[in-house]
């Protein structure tokens, strides 16, 4: 391999770090016609859609904790109050993936509800939508939207060091199956499509202008394709720096609002996603 090629090695870092620190830098280099190759994790090709095959390699099957300053990219953290956009250019995912067609058709406007339930900082989960809150939101939103519930399992995304905390204990999928059969599980939807899971997520996001998410990777993903993203975040450095409200909009021009309060989230959903339709 030529010594003049810039090798950008993610080292299998967390999804959020890769999306904020690595991906925009790789895209910047690409736009400058600078020779490069990115070494990334399984399933990330859809995020690097602009690269040629020989510029991309899925080196890592699992993600792990990597000290951000060890990555050979300009940004050395994702926790700050103001985003430095020097050598930073996020791809336009909405423009690219809005043109993709799905086998599945939806009766109503789609709304993406993203969730997680896993270890956080080696402790039990705190940033998640509880079954009780999900029930309230689903009951209020179901009459107006085709709701796609997005809590990926590790068949569809690389497993990481956080693992999953009590996969069967949240009982969110049980709630949907018993009470909201019209809600679509993204893990089942991907089986009906010809795309891999991350491509499906980007297609859905690009054809959706209303999302709900929680702190972590899915709040970043939900901010990549425009529209409105209402985030529940009770713990994390994003709260300390007010990152959601200050600069997450830089990803795509999305309106991003965060709260650490379930009641406020429910009220925002009513204000932004229901009252406008009544």
């Amino acid at each position: 391999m030529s010594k003049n090629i810039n090798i950008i090695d993610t080292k299998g870092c967390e999804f959020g770090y890769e999306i904020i620190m690595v991906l925009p830098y790789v895209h910047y280099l690409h736009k400058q016609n600078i020779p490069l190759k990115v070494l990334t994790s399984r399933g990330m090709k859809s995020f690097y859609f602009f690269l040629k095959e020989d510029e991309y390699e899925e080196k890592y099957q699992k993600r792990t904790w990597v000290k951000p300053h060890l990555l050979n990219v300009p940004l050395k953290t994702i926790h700050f109050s103001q985003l430095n956009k020097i050598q930073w250019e996020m791809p336009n995912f909405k423009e690219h993936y809005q043109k993709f067609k799905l086998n599945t058709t939806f009766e109503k406007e789609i709304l993406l509800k993203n969730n997680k339930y896993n270890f956080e900082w080696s402790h039990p989960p705190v940033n998640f939508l509880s079954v009780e809150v999900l029930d309230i939101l689903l009951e209020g939103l179901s009459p107006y939207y085709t709701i796609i519930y997005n809590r990926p399992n590790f068949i569809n995304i690389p497993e990481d060091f956080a693992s999953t905390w009590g996969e069967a204990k949240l009982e969110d999928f049980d709630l949907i199956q018993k009470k909201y059969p019209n809600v679509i599980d993204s893990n089942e939807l991907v089986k009906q499509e010809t795309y891999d899971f991350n491509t499906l997520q980007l297609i859905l996001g690009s054809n959706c202008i209303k999302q709900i998410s929680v702190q972590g990777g899915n709040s970043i993903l939900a901010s990549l394709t425009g529209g409105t993203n209402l985030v529940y975040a009770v713990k994390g450095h994003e709260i300390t720096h007010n990152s959601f409200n200050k600069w997450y909009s830089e990803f795509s021009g999305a309106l991003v609002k965060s709260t650490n309060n379930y009641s406020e989230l429910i009220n925002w959903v009513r204000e932004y996603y229901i009252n406008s339709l009544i």
Side-chain angles (χ1 to χ4, degrees), residues 261-278:
N261 184 282
Y262 277 148
S263 295
E264 185 169 41
L265 176 67
I266 292 167
N267 287 335
W268 281 356
V269 169
R270 288 172 179 152
E271 177 184 353
Y272 285 89
Y273 297 165
I274 298 178
N275 290 348
S276 60
L277 300 177
I278 299 175

Side-chain angles (χ1 to χ4, degrees), residues 90-125:
M90 189 68 78
N92 190 329
F93 293 107
K94 192 175 190 72
E95 181 180 66
H96 182 74
Y97 284 106
Q98 201 170 35
K99 299 174 288 188
F100 285 49
K101 302 298 181 183
L102 297 175
N103 296 326
T104 309
T105 56
F106 307 108
E107 293 183 2
K108 305 171 186 174
E109 176 186 351
I110 65 172
L111 184 146
L112 276 170
K113 186 176 292 187
N114 306 278
N115 204 5
K116 68 175 182 177
Y117 196 63
N118 53 255
F119 281 99
E120 297 180 271
W121 307 284
S122 301
H123 294 289

Side-chain angles (χ1 to χ4, degrees), residues 180-194:
Y180 302 100
N182 291 330
V183 171
I184 299 171
D185 174 8
S186 62
N187 296 292
E188 296 300 317
L189 179 61
V190 73
K191 298 175 184 178
Q192 305 170 28
E193 300 298 333
T194 57

Side-chain angles (χ1 to χ4, degrees), residues 15 50 58 81 86 101 118 153 158 174 180 219 229 234 249:
F15 175 81
F50 50 89
E58 294 186 357
S81 298
I86 296 176
K101 302 298 181 183
N118 53 255
N153 58 45
D174 289 338
Y180 302 100
S219 65
N229 177 23
V234 70
S249 61

Side-chain angles (χ1 to χ4, degrees), residues 51-235:
L51 294 181
K52 299 175 183 177
E53 289 299 322
D54 61 354
E55 297 176 318
Y56 172 90
E57 179 183 337
E58 294 186 357
K59 183 177 180 179
Y60 305 100
Q61 293 301 305
K62 292 185 177 182
R63 293 187 181 274
T64 187
W65 166 246
V66 177
K67 293 181 179 180
H69 71 272
L70 297 179
L71 299 177
N72 57 329
V73 296
L75 286 182
K76 298 302 179 184
T77 181
I78 64 171
H79 301 303
F80 35 75
S81 298
Q82 185 174 353
L83 173 65
N84 183 348
K85 295 179 68 175
I86 296 176
Q87 297 184 309
W88 190 98
E89 185 175 344
M90 189 68 78
N92 190 329
F93 293 107
K94 192 175 190 72
E95 181 180 66
H96 182 74
Y97 284 106
Q98 201 170 35
K99 299 174 288 188
F100 285 49
K101 302 298 181 183
L102 297 175
N103 296 326
T104 309
T105 56
F106 307 108
E107 293 183 2
K108 305 171 186 174
E109 176 186 351
I110 65 172
L111 184 146
L112 276 170
K113 186 176 292 187
N114 306 278
N115 204 5
K116 68 175 182 177
Y117 196 63
N118 53 255
F119 281 99
E120 297 180 271
W121 307 284
S122 301
H123 294 289
V126 292
N127 295 297
F128 67 97
L129 300 176
S130 69
V131 170
E132 293 75 19
V133 169
L134 282 171
D135 194 11
I136 294 170
L137 295 176
L138 289 173
E139 184 172 359
L141 291 166
S142 292
Y144 306 102
Y145 298 96
T146 293
I147 299 172
I148 300 174
Y149 184 63
N150 190 32
R151 182 162 78 88
N153 58 45
F154 288 129
I155 295 175
N156 292 316
I157 60 172
E159 186 175 359
D160 63 18
F161 60 93
S163 187
T164 296
W165 176 272
E167 181 74 38
K169 301 298 182 181
L170 184 58
E171 299 181 349
D172 48 347
F173 295 111
D174 289 338
L175 171 70
I176 290 169
Q177 185 177 19
K178 293 175 181 178
K179 192 172 178 180
Y180 302 100
N182 291 330
V183 171
I184 299 171
D185 174 8
S186 62
N187 296 292
E188 296 300 317
L189 179 61
V190 73
K191 298 175 184 178
Q192 305 170 28
E193 300 298 333
T194 57
Y195 304 108
D196 65 89
F197 192 78
N198 278 333
T199 301
L200 175 64
Q201 290 188 106
L202 289 167
I203 294 171
L204 292 172
S206 297
N207 288 277
C208 170
I209 59 171
K210 297 168 185 174
Q211 297 199 49
I212 301 167
S213 64
V214 298
Q215 182 275 346
N218 75 67
S219 65
I220 296 169
L221 178 67
S223 303
L224 293 180
T225 50
T228 299
N229 177 23
L230 304 179
V231 184
Y232 176 72
V234 70
K235 184 178 179 180

